[in-house]
Amino acid sequence: MKIWTLTILLSWVGMSGAAAQSFYDINTIQEIKVSFYQSNWQHLLDSLKNEPGEPYLIVPSVEVNGVVFDSVGVKYKGYSSYDPDNLKNPLHIELNHVKKGQTYQGIEDIKLSNVFADPTFVREVMSYEILRKYMNEPLANYAKVWLDGEYWGVYVNVESINKKFARKHFHTDGDNPFFKCNPIDVVSTNEHSNLVYESADSAYYYDRYELRSDYGWAELLTLMDTLTNYPHRAHRVVDIDRALWMLAFNNVFVNLDSYTGAFAQNYYLYQDKNDRWLPVVWDLNMSFGAFPLLDGGNFLTVQQMKQLDPLVQDDNDFRPLIKNLLENAIYKKMYLAHIRTILQENFSSLNYKYRAQQLQDLIDAFVQADSKKFYSYADFHDNIDETVFSSSAFGYVPGLTDLMGNRYAYLMNHPALSPTPPAISNVADLQAGEVYVAADVQNAATVTLFFRYDSAEIFQSLQMWDDGQHYDGAAGDGRYGQSFPYNGLVGQYYVFAENANAGM
């Protein structure tokens, strides 16, 4: 989906935003060096990982790109990517854990992924890069890490999803209801962050959702109750379009360590000023089919992942965000339109392969020198195209081009996506008291203009017409038009067209 933005006033980015971009600049590899008081620091980090709340180990110093910080909190993070037998575990560094206000370029939390289950080293970075076209998502790049003076290899450096992230993207003070949706133990308890309403007692859900704000349980229960029991009201409690983008992304990318997969996890929810929950996808190190578990059964084969149905889970009562949204005919068309957009914009050519190779070129020498990586240097290159087998992770990791090339062909020919959608072209606008929008549209029964004046607002809608009276040229010429009031500051709009079988 393309959103057009109209603006007259100059826009600006504050220093904190610019600094964050610098620390996560994809073309700059960060250097992070952690010193420890004790020689048995690995044992201590393992021990703390198993304690309630997973407390931090206080270390004497952490150096970030030559800037030294003292008295810093460090701990292991992750679930499947963490193992006490790993040479290389993911890290969470909290610069202000002891000294409040201690930051690097305004950043307190540094999240470092250990590239578990990804021989290519590009899955997480490239997935976030593509997903940011459609949703607010973290920035991500690479870091070289030293632990107690020893080079520990290349990590993925991912922007933390916290109150600062919410303030930057969602136009609030960051104090609204905010949850991390990751069960405490996804395997032994079978408790998932699936948004199913099962109890009116918030304590029932404490092991499934982690509250990151001062309040929010009542609001989360309202979301779950609505999705489960009153889905026709879902638009009141969730940003439908963001939710559909998340679900479309998870499906296309075979990102099953997610709400779509076996454990219904790895996403955040933030409630905006309109009392709607906004999903944010998290933890993409096993996208592109590196997590092959759709349900509690057997691992999917590579062939099954290539042919993962675009409507998978649409009959699963334990995935109400999928099942109950896709029961709405318009939402289903939008969801399938999002899948089509992701496919056409990212996988209709081999540009994604070339992008993956560009990312690898940035870190090639440092990966080669990384003696603690989970896969060989040959696997690093081979997994761009070929499936790599290993005792790590789930035994095999699909090659990017093998998976996505076949997935593109399968999805574009799938009955749910094969109906010809409307075609939208030559979109234009004119500002003159009103904002007049026109577009050439073919094969559509209805065409709708969605608009808003602030990216934190809800889109309003107006039907577009081909009647010669709405900035649309001559009646019946295939050019549709409509207008909305111009407030002199800023506006955003997009065009959605649908026929009986598809939307675009």
Side-chain angles (χ1 to χ4, degrees):
M1 180 179 69
K2 173 69 172 178
I3 295 180
W4 285 266
T5 299
L6 316 166
T7 183
I8 283 184
L9 299 183
L10 293 175
S11 61
W12 58 278
V13 178
M15 285 302 294
S16 61
Q21 177 65 49
S22 176
F23 185 60
Y24 298 106
D25 173 26
I26 187 56
N27 296 310
T28 305
I29 301 174
Q30 312 303 303
E31 294 192 354
I32 299 172
K33 301 178 180 179
V34 182
S35 299
F36 295 89
Y37 286 113
Q38 305 93 339
S39 59
N40 65 335
W41 56 268
Q42 294 182 74
H43 171 72
L44 294 174
L45 288 174
D46 286 327
S47 299
L48 292 171
K49 185 74 168 67
N50 294 318
E51 290 189 14
E54 299 182 4
Y56 291 87
L57 178 68
I58 308 302
V59 303
S61 70
V62 170
E63 181 180 323
V64 182
N65 296 329
V67 181
V68 178
F69 303 90
D70 63 76
S71 303
V72 172
V74 176
K75 65 179 179 179
Y76 287 143
K77 71 180 189 73
Y79 188 81
S80 55
S81 59
Y82 164 79
D83 191 295
D85 294 327
N86 285 347
L87 292 174
K88 182 178 180 181
N89 275 310
L91 297 166
H92 181 180
I93 299 171
E94 191 170 84
L95 296 177
N96 66 340
H97 185 68
V98 175
K99 294 188 172 183
K100 302 307 177 186
Q102 184 168 250
T103 70
Y104 178 79
Q105 298 182 351
I107 296 163
E108 303 98 353
D109 285 312
I110 298 175
K111 302 285 186 71
L112 299 170
S113 300
N114 62 343
V115 206
F116 171 79
D118 179 17
T120 70
F121 278 66
V122 305
R123 278 174 162 80
E124 192 160 24
V125 172
M126 194 160 73
S127 294
Y128 278 125
E129 188 172 74
I130 292 174
L131 187 53
R132 284 196 301 272
K133 298 178 182 180
Y134 313 111
M135 297 175 64
N136 298 116
E137 287 294 322
L139 299 166
N141 63 359
Y142 296 101
K144 295 182 290 181
V145 176
W146 285 260
L147 300 180
D148 222 27
E150 183 178 349
Y151 178 57
W152 224 258
V154 176
Y155 285 70
V156 174
N157 176 38
V158 183
E159 182 182 12
S160 183
I161 300 175
N162 51 24
K163 291 184 177 182
K164 181 175 291 186
F165 180 92
R167 288 194 294 270
K168 180 171 73 171
H169 292 291
F170 303 141
H171 306 274
T172 75
D173 57 12
D175 294 329
N176 290 10
F178 192 15
F179 283 87
K180 183 179 182 181
C181 302
N182 279 76
I184 291 177
D185 186 345
V186 298
V187 176
S188 61
T189 64
N190 201 34
E191 294 179 342
H192 303 151
S193 308
N194 55 22
L195 299 176
V196 175
Y197 185 75
E198 298 180 86
S199 172
D201 183 358
S202 59
Y204 178 82
Y205 305 96
Y206 287 173
D207 290 341
R208 308 179 187 209
Y209 307 89
E210 180 184 343
L211 180 66
R212 291 293 184 92
S213 49
D214 293 334
Y215 70 101
W217 283 109
E219 291 78 2
L220 184 66
L221 262 63
T222 297
L223 169 66
M224 292 190 289
D225 186 24
T226 302
L227 285 176
T228 303
N229 300 313
Y230 311 100
H232 61 284
R233 302 176 187 168
H235 64 284
R236 301 180 184 177
V237 294
V238 66
D239 185 328
I240 299 294
D241 194 55
R242 287 179 194 262
L244 295 177
W245 277 117
M246 177 178 79
L247 300 177
F249 168 84
N250 287 341
N251 189 287
V252 172
F253 281 65
V254 197
N255 179 45
L256 297 182
D257 194 18
S258 69
Y259 182 84
T260 301
F263 301 138
Q265 63 172 353
N266 285 330
Y267 65 101
Y268 285 78
L269 288 172
Y270 185 81
Q271 192 177 57
D272 69 5
K273 68 179 185 180
N274 305 299
D275 297 327
R276 299 182 311 163
W277 289 95
L278 312 176
V280 183
V281 181
W282 175 247
D283 199 6
L284 294 177
N285 63 311
M286 290 193 284
S287 67
F288 291 104
F291 182 86
L293 198 57
L294 180 63
D295 51 35
N298 297 324
F299 294 162
L300 298 181
T301 65
V302 174
Q303 184 63 26
Q304 287 172 325
M305 287 189 283
K306 291 175 183 177
Q307 297 184 357
L308 184 70
D309 194 296
L311 299 176
V312 72
Q313 304 282 33
D314 72 338
D315 59 351
N316 187 347
D317 290 332
F318 293 97
R319 296 295 184 276
L321 193 66
I322 299 176
K323 180 179 185 292
N324 293 346
L325 290 191
L326 297 190
E327 285 180 348
N328 181 298
I330 294 178
Y331 296 164
K332 184 176 180 179
K333 288 180 185 177
M334 294 178 69
Y335 166 76
L336 293 171
H338 290 351
I339 286 182
R340 189 179 290 109
T341 296
I342 292 172
L343 290 169
Q344 291 177 346
E345 291 186 352
N346 302 284
F347 300 107
S348 61
S349 71
L350 283 175
N351 285 342
Y352 70 97
K353 174 182 178 176
Y354 306 141
R355 179 56 179 157
Q357 291 172 330
Q358 283 181 331
L359 294 173
Q360 285 194 334
D361 288 345
L362 285 171
I363 56 174
D364 188 280
F366 311 117
V367 170
Q368 188 171 15
D370 182 348
S371 62
K372 296 174 173 58
K373 57 184 177 288
F374 293 90
Y375 297 86
S376 70
Y377 178 66
D379 291 338
F380 170 66
H381 289 292
D382 291 346
N383 195 225
I384 293 291
D385 295 311
E386 303 170 8
T387 295
V388 165
F389 295 88
S390 171
S391 58
S392 300
F394 301 97
Y396 55 86
V397 184
L400 296 184
T401 63
D402 181 42
L403 176 70
M404 298 311 299
N406 284 280
R407 185 133 186 78
Y408 176 85
Y410 168 77
L411 287 173
M412 292 301 290
N413 290 286
H414 190 278
L417 287 151
S418 57
T420 303
I424 304 172
S425 60
N426 298 323
V427 180
D429 59 75
L430 173 68
Q431 304 164 39
E434 294 272 307
V435 178
Y436 296 92
V437 178
D440 292 338
V441 184
Q442 298 176 345
N443 191 33
T446 60
V447 183
T448 306
L449 173 68
F450 290 84
F451 70 95
R452 64 185 179 186
Y453 300 108
D454 186 298
S455 58
E457 291 180 354
I458 299 173
F459 278 102
Q460 303 176 60
S461 63
L462 292 168
Q463 185 170 348
M464 298 180 72
W465 299 96
D466 179 16
D467 59 2
Q469 301 179 45
H470 290 83
Y471 181 58
D472 60 297
D477 64 354
R479 189 157 183 81
Y480 288 73
Q482 185 53 275
S483 66
F484 61 93
Y486 184 50
N487 68 356
L489 297 176
V490 68
Q492 292 183 323
Y493 69 86
Y494 69 93
V495 175
F496 178 69
E498 60 180 308
N499 54 39
N501 300 306
M504 195 67 180

